Amino acid sequence: MILDGIGASSGVAIGKVFIKQQNDFVLPTHKVTDTEAEIKRFNDAKEEATLELKVLYEKALEEVGEEHAQIFDVHQMLIADLDLHDQVVGIITDEKYNAAYAVSEASAIIAAMFESMDDPYLQERAADIRDISKRLIGILTGEKEVSLADINEPVILIAKDLFPSDTIQMNKQYVLGFITEDGGKMSHSAILARTMQIPAVVGVKNILTKLDKNSTIIIDGKSGKIYINPTDEELVYWKAKQEEDRNYKQKLQSLKGTANKTVDGIEIEINANIGSPEDIEGVLANDAKGIGLFRSEFLYMDGHALPTEEAQYEAYKKVIEAMEDRVIIRTLDVGGDKELHYLNIPKEENPFLGYRAIRVCLDQVDMFKVQLRALLRASVYGKLGIMFPMIATVEEIKEAKALLEETKRELLAEGIAVSEDIEVGMMIETPAAALISDVLAQEVDFFSIGTNDLTQYTLAVDRMNAKIAHLYNTHNLAVLRLIKMVVDNAHAAGIWVGICGEAAADTTLTETFLGMGIDELSVSAPSVLEVRKTIQQIDTSKIQLKL
């Protein structure tokens, strides 16, 4: 039998099954009379959970490095989050429910908020909320799950879902790979699996009912295919693929230090996408020299209030100083699918067409100028590019640039140094921007194409809607023609153009992008070497585009 899931971490695993049983735990739900005592129990549980997470942080630091250990710092922040605290205390105080039930209800509300967002990365943060909820409830009830560290023989782990705390406790010596019913490619467990180089397949519906402990399976973490009780012929084939995969990964490491140059000598920039300064370690480990997209909104989403100018300045400075080449920082891209509760952005009928990104910033100018000040102050520490998101009109880019110039004049008047060599660019995410890219190109130093939103808006397909997911396709001729139009208009105006969406790492599109004349590809750090390998095998003089 062959099943299909979502390939979340490449590689082949062959072995017998270990099924992570779900607890038959019934959440205690009852009324309390002493609400102060129940709130104290909740606060004590938070303290104990924080101590547990510190232990997990140290373990992760040793096994997967600081970049990925940070998730357990984030979990500590989530446990201390005022929203969670206030909601739990409110349920205990107002509704007189016990702490475990209050934690369950409050975390469900917050998790649902993340799941409603459009960004896959933010959607998967719902799993983090559930993880800390499970930990707190386990402490409050004394019903803790068995640790996966107890696995002591080679197996492929099968579970309803895995939380980061589960994944980091897995013994890499024995867990050959894992499969989950839930989860996505951007879940922290999937990200950790890729870092730990454990093959993983996620999103396999009803997998727990289709396997037993006597099953032998093969998983292909790239295609998402699962082979249950394979034949001798299948075993021989996949063992050979397993060896081939090991050799391929070793060869990729040999590409460190080599050029991103095609057979006919065309050099392409390959840069990395990051969400915080902590991601830099992984960027450098994968031999990227620059940052093509720093998603600055994550600095805003990690706290309970707007980040100060000083906090932003330190974050931007750290990244700019660490990188040899240019760092492109996208200004705040929030609203719509990315909620900041402290901004009180009203709910909208269609948030993806609503009050978001540059529209928020041009409306809330004081907030925007704090970010611009921090960016400009940090610019003196290296090569900075400032990129404005979600531009759809010429008026928007002109207004954003005017605010940037105004902020620069104010800083210089205060005696604060600002670099004279800052590139100013914008994202092409809407068909409107693509269609007037000849005019927009006169206003900026570069374009960066956000293929995720450009595909979604061009095809009128919600990429998170499973019913129409098959229609979401960056290979679609309409999307590719718009990208080609943007490249041609950019080059005619003498500016460079890159791609920073998911498609930048799609090696089946690399040749097409190079044929169009794309100057830069910005990808997740683990994709850098594979994209480099693909580029080194292409002869652009032989590319024949059919658009």
Side-chain angles (χ1 to χ4, degrees), residues 152-165:
N152 58 9
E153 60 178 332
V155 294
I156 295 176
L157 177 63
I158 315 297
K160 173 73 173 167
D161 198 2
L162 287 174
F163 296 113
S165 54

Side-chain angles (χ1 to χ4, degrees), residues 310-362:
E310 201 62 29
Q312 291 188 67
Y313 161 72
E314 291 294 340
Y316 304 146
K317 174 176 177 282
K318 182 177 181 180
V319 174
I320 294 168
E321 282 185 320
M323 300 310 300
E324 178 181 328
D325 289 342
R326 177 183 55 234
V327 172
I328 294 177
I329 301 177
R330 180 174 70 188
T331 59
L332 180 60
D333 185 1
V334 75
D337 60 319
K338 300 170 191 168
E339 293 186 21
L340 288 182
H341 62 88
Y342 51 77
L343 283 187
N344 297 315
I345 295 175
K347 296 287 184 182
E348 296 178 293
E349 193 75 24
N350 192 336
F352 312 130
L353 302 179
Y355 185 63
R356 57 176 296 199
I358 199 67
R359 299 166 185 178
V360 174
C361 291
L362 294 180

Side-chain angles (χ1 to χ4, degrees), residues 95-109:
E95 302 179 39
K96 305 289 192 289
Y97 275 112
N98 60 301
Y101 174 79
V103 169
S104 176
E105 287 295 292
S107 60
I109 292 168

Side-chain angles (χ1 to χ4, degrees), residues 264-468:
D264 54 326
I266 305 298
E267 191 150 8
I268 307 297
E269 285 189 56
I270 303 178
N271 293 320
N273 299 334
I274 64 170
S276 74
E278 284 68 39
D279 295 338
I280 289 298
E281 183 181 340
V283 171
L284 297 175
N286 284 280
D287 202 36
K289 301 296 189 292
I291 301 299
L293 172 62
F294 181 166
R295 300 179 177 94
S296 69
E297 58 267 23
F298 291 113
L299 300 177
Y300 290 73
M301 302 184 85
D302 281 346
H304 314 300
L306 288 168
T308 64
E309 178 184 325
E310 201 62 29
Q312 291 188 67
Y313 161 72
E314 291 294 340
Y316 304 146
K317 174 176 177 282
K318 182 177 181 180
V319 174
I320 294 168
E321 282 185 320
M323 300 310 300
E324 178 181 328
D325 289 342
R326 177 183 55 234
V327 172
I328 294 177
I329 301 177
R330 180 174 70 188
T331 59
L332 180 60
D333 185 1
V334 75
D337 60 319
K338 300 170 191 168
E339 293 186 21
L340 288 182
H341 62 88
Y342 51 77
L343 283 187
N344 297 315
I345 295 175
K347 296 287 184 182
E348 296 178 293
E349 193 75 24
N350 192 336
F352 312 130
L353 302 179
Y355 185 63
R356 57 176 296 199
I358 199 67
R359 299 166 185 178
V360 174
C361 291
L362 294 180
D363 182 50
Q364 302 195 33
V365 172
D366 290 344
M367 174 187 73
F368 190 29
K369 288 184 70 173
V370 169
Q371 180 174 36
L372 296 178
R373 283 179 62 91
L375 286 166
L376 290 168
R377 286 174 58 198
S379 68
V380 296
Y381 294 96
K383 303 173 185 177
L384 173 65
I386 296 175
M387 179 163 68
F388 300 115
M390 205 62 190
I391 298 292
T393 68
V394 177
E395 290 73 22
E396 286 172 326
I397 190 62
K398 284 185 174 181
E399 189 175 348
K401 285 172 56 186
L403 284 170
L404 181 64
E405 282 302 311
E406 178 183 306
T407 308
K408 181 179 178 180
R409 288 194 300 272
E410 290 169 355
L411 285 169
L412 292 173
E414 295 171 30
I416 297 172
V418 174
S419 172
E420 292 299 322
D421 189 28
I422 301 171
E423 289 186 276
V424 177
M426 57 165 280
M427 292 193 71
I428 301 283
E429 299 167 276
T430 66
L435 290 167
I436 60 168
S437 53
D438 57 331
V439 182
L440 291 169
Q442 307 301 319
E443 300 292 333
V444 292
D445 300 311
F446 67 91
F447 287 147
S448 188
I449 301 171
T451 52
N452 299 355
D453 270 336
L454 183 62
T455 302
Q456 178 170 246
Y457 290 133
T458 301
L459 302 179
V461 173
D462 178 357
R463 56 195 163 107
M464 303 315 297
N465 186 332
K467 290 183 182 294
I468 54 173

